[in-house]
Amino acid sequence: MMRVRNRTSLFVLAAVAVALVCGSAAAEPAPKTIGDFQAISIVTPKPYPVSFGDSARSWEVHFPGATYIRVHFTDFDLADGDTVELFDPAGRRFRSYEGRGIHGTGDFWAHTVPGDTAIVRVQATVGGESGFEIDGFGAGFEPVFGDPPGSGDNGTDSVCGTQDWEDVECYNGAPMYEKARAVVKAIIGCCSSCTAWKMTDAGQFMYNEHCGTSQSDVASTELLQNYTRYSCGGGGTGDGPSAFGSQLLASDYTLDYTMMQATGVFDGIPCLSFAPRQAANGDRLYIAHHPSGGVKKLSVNSTHPSNPNGWCEVDNNAVNGRGTATDIGYYCDTIGGSSGSPVLDYATHEVIGLHHFGGCLNSGARSDLIVDSLQSKGVVVGFCTDSGSGTPADCGNGVVEWPEQCDGGDLGGDTCKTLGFKRGSLSCAADCTLDTS
């Protein structure tokens, strides 16, 4: 039974039977389904009264056996100084919201709370505004907070031979360990999970178009950072802060990417850069991902017979994806929830593909085509630097290199006229962006 309880009333609603809906082994990818939507109605008085401290009004949102609860708020409007608090029964994973909520619109999916119960509490020292409504929540049926079993790839076989991925902590001290920190677990709306990653210092992120393609999808996306095991092969799990998708920047069906701007805390993780070139056959690679929506893993090695060296590599650098020859193919292990993962060059640690297909060959959209697509769409892509300074490491060498707009005297072929100005003198700023002032 699903239970929603405030301090004075108990409402019992019939639970809806939950069944995992698995896709067929068809080529079209899908995000990992990890939960089910449950409709409820919790409405504060309008206007809501003052209540705080020991007398603060609270509600308990409960679904027996759920692996997580994710509450959806609508008509959220608090007076300045008032907050809504969200936490589990032990007081952990404490979050608070104010004003019009995360996006300032009054409508948002809250942070995900592990377990079968979330507590919502109003701390109102002012009162008098509309309050909020909770019109539903996601109830998890996959053990996404922990280490899910290596199965359930929505019907697609993506583990090519023996399952070879390992906890990221097994590579602590290696360059790929630091690069993998850019990879985050994406929870979309009530019920889906993919992998996303930070593209730029300014908090631009990317995952698959089939994970989210609209502004509402992006706004519903929680980006959970550093969700890993404490040790290699065992031990407890920990995670860091969450950011949220805030603005859809670009989306492409054929190359299966969605690029978004995030809001919130993301300064504590590095970013990854696309390689603006096509990967070569035989290039060694690795994948950082959240298989089945669980803790972060690194797929570095391959036991598939096509990889006698024992490592993941580009087995075909021009296989069909959603388009002709749009993907690179590999036998590196992935599974449901891995969608959106960066496929990284082992030597340079650049992103050479965006994982989206299983089937052994598994495949990811080619980085060179994604770069070309973003440029053709006129998308302004920020810089990714180790320092977070917003200036690329190669800025100042006099050669335009993506995503630079210019470099010194090299203006990338642009003039004032090509940019739509009738006259003037175009120059390049110190951060390798065009100066039209």
Side-chain angles (χ1 to χ4, degrees), residues 21 32 47 120 362 426:
V21 181
K32 176 70 177 176
V120 180
N362 303 330
L426 187 63

Side-chain angles (χ1 to χ4, degrees), residues 304-393:
H304 192 272
S306 295
N307 301 139
N309 289 321
W311 58 61
C312 297
E313 61 185 56
V314 178
D315 292 280
N316 188 329
N317 71 345
V319 299
N320 293 343
R322 281 178 162 177
T324 303
T326 53
D327 284 20
I328 58 170
Y330 39 82
Y331 292 104
C332 212
D333 288 346
T334 58
I335 207 165
S338 302
S339 290
S341 304
V343 182
L344 294 120
D345 185 288
Y346 187 87
T348 68
H349 307 288
E350 295 174 299
V351 178
I352 56 174
L354 184 68
H355 175 75
H356 66 148
F357 274 99
C360 295
L361 284 174
N362 303 330
S363 71
R366 286 166 41 188
S367 62
D368 59 314
L369 299 182
I370 294 175
V371 168
D372 289 346
S373 174
L374 291 171
Q375 290 177 326
S376 69
K377 294 176 188 290
V379 179
V380 177
V381 179
F383 297 129
C384 174
T385 68
D386 290 337
S387 65
S389 65
T391 302

Side-chain angles (χ1 to χ4, degrees), residues 282-294:
D283 283 353
R284 191 173 176 182
L285 62 85
Y286 64 98
I287 301 175
H289 55 132
H290 285 277
S292 296

Side-chain angles (χ1 to χ4, degrees), residues 183-202:
V183 175
V184 301
K185 172 179 173 176
I187 303 174
I188 304 99
C190 70
C191 310
S192 298
S193 181
C194 285
T195 299
W197 51 281
K198 183 180 172 184
M199 294 177 62
T200 66
D201 297 333

Side-chain angles (χ1 to χ4, degrees), residues 25-351:
E28 187 63 21
K32 176 70 177 176
T33 303
I34 57 174
D36 189 60
F37 180 76
Q38 303 293 333
I40 58 172
S41 180
I42 298 174
V43 185
T44 61
K46 299 180 183 295
Y48 65 92
V50 170
S51 66
F52 59 92
D54 292 340
S55 63
R57 191 174 185 186
S58 62
W59 295 261
E60 188 180 273
V61 181
H62 174 79
F63 194 94
T67 56
Y68 68 83
I69 301 292
R70 192 176 190 203
V71 172
H72 184 257
F73 288 100
T74 187
D75 197 22
F76 191 98
D77 189 10
L78 302 183
D80 290 345
D82 291 347
T83 59
V84 166
E85 300 168 340
L86 178 70
F87 49 93
D88 70 6
R92 296 169 299 197
R93 299 185 69 86
F94 183 93
R95 314 290 186 183
S96 64
Y97 312 102
E98 58 187 20
R100 298 280 288 162
I102 291 174
H103 303 298
T105 63
D107 186 285
F108 65 97
W109 284 96
H111 291 77
T112 305
V113 177
D116 64 4
T117 303
I119 297 172
V120 180
R121 181 170 63 196
V122 179
Q123 294 284 4
T125 59
V126 180
E129 297 293 346
S130 296
F132 63 83
E133 178 179 353
I134 298 174
D135 60 2
F137 64 94
F141 54 70
E142 287 287 310
V144 295
F145 285 91
D147 201 3
S151 60
D153 185 33
N154 290 339
T156 302
D157 179 16
S158 301
V159 175
C160 306
T162 304
Q163 180 178 291
D164 297 314
W165 63 58
E166 298 176 276
D167 292 316
V168 292
E169 195 62 31
C170 300
Y171 295 88
N172 195 340
M176 67 187 74
Y177 176 83
E178 175 64 18
K179 297 299 181 181
R181 291 181 54 240
V183 175
V184 301
K185 172 179 173 176
I187 303 174
I188 304 99
C190 70
C191 310
S192 298
S193 181
C194 285
T195 299
W197 51 281
K198 183 180 172 184
M199 294 177 62
T200 66
D201 297 333
Q204 294 172 325
F205 283 76
M206 180 169 282
Y207 58 22
N208 285 143
E209 184 269 352
H210 75 255
C211 297
T213 187
S214 66
Q215 174 60 36
S216 61
D217 291 335
V218 165
S220 77
T221 299
E222 180 181 4
L223 302 166
L224 180 61
Q225 302 158 44
N226 298 322
Y227 182 48
T228 62
R229 284 200 177 279
Y230 292 129
S231 59
C232 175
T237 62
D239 57 72
S242 289
F244 282 81
S246 61
Q247 182 183 0
L248 173 67
L249 299 176
S251 190
D252 189 273
Y253 173 83
T254 302
L255 298 175
D256 201 6
Y257 71 79
T258 289
M259 179 179 170
M260 72 187 82
Q261 177 63 50
T263 186
V265 179
F266 48 74
D267 292 341
I269 60 173
C271 50
L272 301 172
S273 297
F274 272 121
R277 66 179 190 282
Q278 183 178 5
N281 288 329
D283 283 353
R284 191 173 176 182
L285 62 85
Y286 64 98
I287 301 175
H289 55 132
H290 285 277
S292 296
V295 293
K296 193 184 303 179
K297 305 287 186 178
L298 275 167
S299 290
V300 179
N301 301 312
S302 171
T303 52
H304 192 272
S306 295
N307 301 139
N309 289 321
W311 58 61
C312 297
E313 61 185 56
V314 178
D315 292 280
N316 188 329
N317 71 345
V319 299
N320 293 343
R322 281 178 162 177
T324 303
T326 53
D327 284 20
I328 58 170
Y330 39 82
Y331 292 104
C332 212
D333 288 346
T334 58
I335 207 165
S338 302
S339 290
S341 304
V343 182
L344 294 120
D345 185 288
Y346 187 87
T348 68
H349 307 288
E350 295 174 299
V351 178

